[in-house]
Amino acid sequence: MPLRPVRGVAIFAVVALVCDSLVGIVAAGIDLWYASFVDGMVVDLDSVSEAEINTADLVYGLSGILEAVVYVVAIVAFLVWLFKVRANAEILSPGGHRRGQPWLIFGWVVPIVNFWFPKQIVDDIWYASSRVPSPPRGLFNAWWAAWLIGTWVTNVGSRLLFKADELESLAAAARFDVVSIVLMLIAAVLAIGVIRKITEAQEEHLSAAAVGMTYGGMPPGGMPPGGVAPGAPGGGYPGY
C-alpha cells in the first residue's frame, strides 16, 4: 500500500491549533476583565447596575463556550492528522508500534494510561517516519510535559469555577483560568512543532518514493530490511 500525502490534514490541524490559541488569548483577556469587574463588586456592590452584571456574566459565559467549541475542533483536527500519519507509519514500520489503532482515541481518555499511551503512539510514529536512527525527542518530550501540566491546571481551574459561590472565589477562578490558557498555549505551539516534524519526515518519504530515491539505505517505501524502522520497538528504541 503506498504512502498517502498528509500535508493537507497537517495544515488543517495547525490552523485549528492557531485558532484555538487566538481564541484562548481573547478569553484570557476577558478573564482578566471579568476578574477586575468582580473585584469592583466586592469593594462596592452598588457601584454596578444589574444590567452591567448581566452583561459581564453573559460575555464571560459566551467566551467560555466559544473557547470550548474551538478547543474541541482543534482536538478533532489533531486526531484526524494523527490517524493519517499513523497509517503511513504502519507502512514504513509495520512492527514498530506498541499500541493498536483503537488507542489513538482511547489512549487520551482512559484513566491512568492516558499519562503515557498517547506519547508512546506519537513517539512510535516519529521513529517510523524519521530517516535517521534514534532521532531526537526533545520537542516531543516538551510538548507532552506541557500538555500534561496544562490539562491538569485546566481541570483544577474548572473545579474552582464550578465551586465558586462567592465573589472573591469567582474572581480567583477567572484569574486561575488565565494560567491554564497560557500553559495550553505553550502546549499548542509545541504541538504545531510536532505536527510539522512528523509531516515533513513523511512528505520526504513520499518525495523519495516518487523519484525512486532512498534515504539512509532504505528502499523507496521507507522501511528498512526486517520491517522495523530505525529506533522503533524491536529495532533499538530507547523505550518510554
Side-chain angles (χ1 to χ4, degrees):
M1 181 183 298
L3 299 178
R4 299 291 182 86
V6 292
R7 191 172 299 278
V9 291
I11 292 173
F12 172 49
V14 168
V15 170
L17 286 168
V18 170
C19 291
D20 179 59
S21 299
L22 293 176
V23 169
I25 292 172
V26 173
I30 293 175
D31 283 338
L32 294 175
W33 165 78
Y34 186 74
S36 178
F37 179 83
V38 173
D39 287 341
M41 294 172 60
V42 172
V43 174
D44 183 7
L45 185 59
D46 295 329
S47 64
V48 293
S49 66
E50 184 176 352
E52 289 175 320
I53 295 175
N54 291 336
T55 299
D57 289 341
L58 178 62
V59 172
Y60 183 60
L62 289 177
S63 70
I65 293 173
L66 177 61
E67 188 181 2
V69 169
V70 177
Y71 180 66
V72 169
V73 172
I75 290 176
V76 171
F78 184 85
L79 289 177
V80 170
W81 168 82
L82 190 64
F83 269 89
K84 294 288 186 180
V85 293
R86 168 59 184 260
N88 278 348
E90 289 179 353
I91 296 172
L92 293 168
S93 178
H97 303 276
R98 288 168 284 182
R99 307 299 167 196
Q101 281 201 0
W103 288 110
L104 270 69
I105 292 179
F106 294 126
W108 300 89
V109 297
V110 175
I112 308 301
V113 300
N114 59 1
F115 283 103
W116 72 88
F117 271 28
K119 176 62 161 48
Q120 286 184 336
I121 290 168
V122 173
D123 277 347
D124 291 347
I125 292 171
W126 171 231
Y127 273 79
S129 305
S130 178
R131 297 172 292 127
V132 297
S134 301
R137 293 188 299 168
L139 171 64
F140 295 78
N141 294 337
W143 158 69
W144 189 243
W147 165 259
L148 288 179
I149 296 172
T151 302
W152 179 78
V153 172
T154 299
N155 290 336
V156 172
S158 298
R159 292 191 181 96
L160 288 176
L161 182 60
F162 181 75
K163 294 179 179 179
D165 53 3
E166 297 181 355
L167 292 176
E168 292 87 348
S169 57
L170 186 60
R175 290 191 172 94
F176 194 83
D177 188 50
V178 176
V179 177
S180 68
I181 289 173
V182 171
L183 291 172
M184 294 305 288
L185 178 62
I186 295 172
V189 171
L190 294 172
I192 290 173
V194 168
I195 291 170
R196 291 187 60 186
K197 279 278 190 181
I198 293 177
T199 300
E200 289 172 1
Q202 292 196 357
E203 289 293 322
E204 287 177 0
H205 279 294
L206 278 165
S207 298
V211 297
M213 294 173 59
T214 61
Y215 289 116
M218 292 185 184
M223 185 176 67
V228 180
Y237 193 90
Y240 168 64

